[in-house]
Amino acid sequence: MTGILDLPEEIRPLIGQFLNTRAIAACLLVNHSFHKSFEPALWQKIVVGSRYSPVVLKNHLTLADIADIAFLRTKALNVHDYVIHDNPKSEFYKLSFPNLRRLQLTDNSKEVADRESRNLSLSGYYVYQELHQTQLVQLNPTVSTLVITSLPATPSAEFWTAIHSKWLNPRVLHATGPVASTEEASNAFWKACTRFAHLSLISINVAPTPLLSTLAFPHIRYLKIKTASKIATRWFQPKDQLILMMACQQLRHLTLAGPSSFQPLAAFQRAIELNHWPDLNSLELDRVYINLGENLLELLRALPALTALHLEYCQLTDNGFQQLKERQFGSLRTLKILAGCGFTSKMALEVLTSCVNLEVFQSTHIYTQDLDPDTPWVCKRLRSLTICVLHRESTSNRTTLEYQMYAQLAQLTNLVRLDLSQRPMGYTLYDPEFHLMSALNTLDIRLKAGLGQLSTLSKLKFFSCANSFQLSGEIEVMWMLEHWKDLKTVIGRLGGETPAARNAMSDRGVRYQYGGS
């Protein structure tokens, strides 16, 4: 009989990529051959931090595990992901990993915050950390993904220059907080950005520079710009946001998130109308068009056919929805319309009965009374559905409506993820249909209500009904385990206090989270 010990050696490292640290450590103890095969996976991700910032993450080795930095150097070939929290010993900035692909630098040190609040001089500390950061990027030119989050010691011009001139294939940059405090550093930062294909800039603090308006960003395909509720003097200003966007002519995805009053809406809309980004097929707008419904309508008229659209806190009028239907329903594969958009139950149902190519749909709610059982949901390709199903308070025929709703869901046989949760901010006073009592009347998640019809969802891996005010029992959990063979995650009040149900899920390796998501 063939068992795990008979696995070919070349297959074992592939399996190791999907195991957590504890499981890999157990594999090392099987025999010498297993130790040799699985040990590289143990060293793929290394996380270090100062003694003031204990790090709690899964599937990696931490500073506490690495007693001898010289020993870590002997494993350098296996490290693909290196994370530094706060400011550990300088030796951890002097490491070179020949196969490093991802580097993350974060700093939330309480010690630094405390010293700043006491107005003590940190100039020496900043210089010290800047030199270490620069040294680290110089030693690791193979990094393709860089994550920088809230560093008190803003990266220097030398830091960004090393990335621009020495890194072999930079692809993804996620930056939050201060990234360049001087014009020299800002020049180097924007030059480095010209080499990336994916830029995610979250409330960044960058010194203004005229150089930005002279640069082209030919590699950027994904651009995310998110600003805080108030624009500070040294934050990424609206005029510079527009300059960057206009210089990325090969864009395929654009995210704009921030207060509408600070976004260059008119110029952005003109660029859309002039087809400035001919390859644009994915757009996300968050808070940009709140209380500006007609402006959003004009934008929707000008947009090319998209494969993905995400709107949140962007006022969508009835006319805007008609434009969305006429111009986008034939091409969309992903549609997310969340809080503050005025998106009604009937609009959500029209999506489900009209978008043939849809694969991912997320919205706020559907009322069972709006369901037409004679109009089938045509989105048979749907892999992920996130929506809360509700009854109006006055509903009398709930049993019939619930069976009809489950019958429609049962037709979505390609679903991998079904989330019927009620989001705390997903169904709010911003939406015209909101009624507190209706929000308490969510779909009954029990077999007697029609759940058994979902035995057709044989591909389902994720199921959630968090915050749904429903309590299922052990019988529902056992039914799910029997019919959803690929199930990996269950979230909600599903017999979580029954030992038999908990044990059954644990035996199957199903992660269970009781209550909210």
Side-chain angles (χ1 to χ4, degrees):
M1 182 177 178
T2 303
I4 190 172
L5 295 176
D6 301 306
L7 283 172
E9 289 188 17
E10 60 272 17
I11 298 296
R12 295 172 190 167
L14 299 177
I15 295 175
Q17 296 177 15
F18 300 96
L19 301 179
N20 59 33
T21 304
R22 179 177 295 182
I24 294 172
C27 290
L28 299 183
L29 302 176
V30 174
N31 56 37
H32 178 74
S33 177
F34 262 54
H35 190 285
K36 181 179 178 181
S37 297
F38 283 98
E39 190 189 27
L42 188 65
W43 294 89
Q44 284 191 351
K45 183 174 183 178
I46 302 295
V47 179
V48 299
S50 73
R51 62 188 179 91
Y52 300 102
S53 59
V55 181
V56 182
L57 295 173
K58 295 181 179 179
N59 301 346
H60 68 276
L61 288 179
T62 66
L63 177 61
D65 302 311
I66 307 165
D68 185 354
I69 197 167
F71 182 65
L72 175 57
R73 288 193 178 94
T74 68
K75 305 299 179 183
L77 283 172
N78 299 321
V79 178
H80 295 171
D81 189 348
Y82 190 46
V83 181
I84 290 184
H85 284 271
D86 299 339
N87 190 35
K89 294 179 180 179
S90 61
E91 287 82 357
F92 287 100
Y93 291 91
K94 299 176 182 179
L95 295 171
S96 175
F97 304 105
N99 296 311
L100 194 64
R101 296 293 177 265
R102 183 179 182 276
L103 174 62
Q104 178 176 341
L105 300 174
T106 64
D107 199 324
N108 299 305
S109 173
K110 292 182 179 179
E111 182 192 26
V112 171
D114 290 344
R115 287 157 62 188
E116 283 188 305
S117 66
R118 295 171 189 157
N119 296 317
L120 298 179
S121 173
L122 291 175
S123 58
Y125 168 83
Y126 287 151
V127 172
Y128 176 77
Q129 195 179 52
E130 285 174 7
L131 291 173
H132 288 166
Q133 295 167 357
T134 301
Q135 181 177 230
L136 185 63
V137 297
Q138 289 173 337
L139 288 171
N140 292 280
T142 62
V143 173
S144 59
T145 297
L146 174 63
V147 180
I148 292 180
T149 306
S150 303
L151 297 179
T154 307
S156 63
E158 290 76 17
F159 177 93
W160 297 112
T161 298
I163 291 172
H164 177 257
S165 61
K166 294 189 176 183
W167 279 18
L168 302 177
N169 187 31
R171 298 289 299 169
V172 179
L173 171 61
H174 293 280
T176 302
V179 294
S181 59
T182 65
E183 183 174 338
E184 180 187 12
S186 184
N187 290 339
F189 168 72
W190 290 120
K191 285 181 180 178
C193 287
T194 63
R195 296 203 58 205
F196 288 90
H198 178 133
L199 278 187
S200 182
L201 308 177
I202 312 299
S203 299
I204 63 167
N205 186 318
V206 56
T209 172
L211 179 70
L212 176 60
S213 62
T214 69
L215 296 175
F217 298 84
H219 304 296
I220 293 182
R221 302 294 185 269
Y222 179 106
L223 177 62
K224 180 175 184 178
I225 300 174
K226 184 174 182 179
T227 56
S229 58
K230 294 182 180 180
I231 301 294
T233 304
R234 300 185 68 82
W235 286 1
F236 192 24
Q237 297 296 314
K239 62 181 180 64
D240 291 329
Q241 295 174 22
L242 182 61
I243 289 172
L244 174 61
M245 289 157 50
M246 298 296 287
C248 302
Q249 289 192 299
Q250 307 303 315
L251 272 186
R252 295 175 185 169
H253 172 88
L254 175 63
T255 293
L256 283 178
S260 58
S261 58
F262 295 116
Q263 296 291 349
L265 294 182
F268 168 64
Q269 190 162 306
R270 283 196 299 271
I272 291 288
E273 293 169 351
L274 295 172
N275 196 29
H276 186 78
W277 300 285
D279 298 325
L280 186 69
N281 60 28
S282 177
L283 180 64
E284 178 179 353
L285 302 174
D286 180 1
R287 293 175 293 149
V288 176
Y289 281 86
I290 192 168
N291 299 324
L292 294 172
E294 291 305 313
N295 298 66
L296 180 59
L297 172 61
E298 293 301 316
L299 177 69
L300 292 172
R301 284 176 178 159
L303 281 173
L306 301 173
T307 59
L309 177 64
H310 181 167
L311 301 178
E312 188 163 4
Y313 291 104
C314 296
Q315 189 182 48
L316 186 68
T317 62
D318 289 340
N319 289 335
F321 179 74
Q322 284 304 118
Q323 286 296 318
L324 179 65
K325 180 179 178 181
E326 292 171 12
R327 300 186 62 85
Q328 304 296 341
F329 274 18
S331 60
L332 282 172
R333 290 189 172 89
T334 297
L335 178 60
K336 299 180 180 181
I337 302 186
L338 305 181
C341 292
F343 203 67
T344 66
S345 165
K346 291 183 178 180
M347 289 177 181
L349 285 166
E350 197 157 356
V351 169
L352 293 166
T353 56
S354 303
C355 292
V356 176
N357 297 311
L358 204 62
E359 297 176 6
V360 176
F361 181 47
Q362 182 174 358
S363 189
T364 53
H365 66 287
I366 290 176
Y367 279 117
T368 56
Q369 294 91 329
D370 295 332
L371 182 69
D372 181 356
D374 296 324
T375 304
W377 294 359
V378 300
C379 46
K380 305 301 183 184
R381 299 180 182 179
L382 208 62
R383 295 179 292 103
S384 176
L385 175 61
T386 302
I387 198 159
C388 184
V389 180
L390 302 167
H391 298 292
R392 289 189 174 90
E393 184 184 2
S394 58
T395 304
S396 57
N397 56 335
R398 294 191 181 188
T399 301
T400 300
L401 292 173
E402 285 174 340
Y403 264 82
Q404 291 174 352
M405 182 59 68
Y406 277 118
Q408 293 285 24
L409 290 169
Q411 302 302 311
L412 307 179
T413 55
N414 283 310
L415 277 183
V416 174
R417 178 186 177 94
L418 177 58
D419 191 342
L420 302 176
S421 304
Q422 184 163 212
R423 307 291 171 184
M425 292 300 294
Y427 185 67
T428 72
L429 291 169
Y430 288 96
D431 293 301
E433 295 183 308
F434 177 82
H435 190 280
L436 181 59
M437 294 308 297
S438 294
L440 297 175
N441 294 299
T442 48
L443 184 69
D444 192 345
I445 314 293
R446 288 182 290 182
L447 290 174
K448 70 176 186 179
L451 178 66
Q453 296 182 71
L454 301 190
S455 61
T456 56
L457 308 187
S458 59
K459 300 179 182 178
L460 206 64
K461 295 183 179 180
F462 177 100
F463 178 74
S464 175
C465 59
N467 306 315
S468 67
F469 302 101
Q470 299 296 330
L471 177 61
S472 300
E474 180 181 318
I475 186 174
E476 279 76 29
V477 174
M478 297 305 186
W479 179 90
M480 291 177 187
L481 296 177
E482 178 183 355
H483 292 89
W484 299 339
K485 300 296 185 183
D486 294 332
L487 191 64
K488 301 297 182 186
T489 302
V490 175
I491 300 176
R493 302 171 68 193
L494 297 174
E497 297 182 358
T498 305
R502 288 202 306 271
N503 292 338
M505 286 188 285
S506 178
D507 292 342
R508 266 277 303 275
V510 175
R511 182 178 73 90
Y512 174 63
Q513 181 176 325
Y514 179 82
S517 59

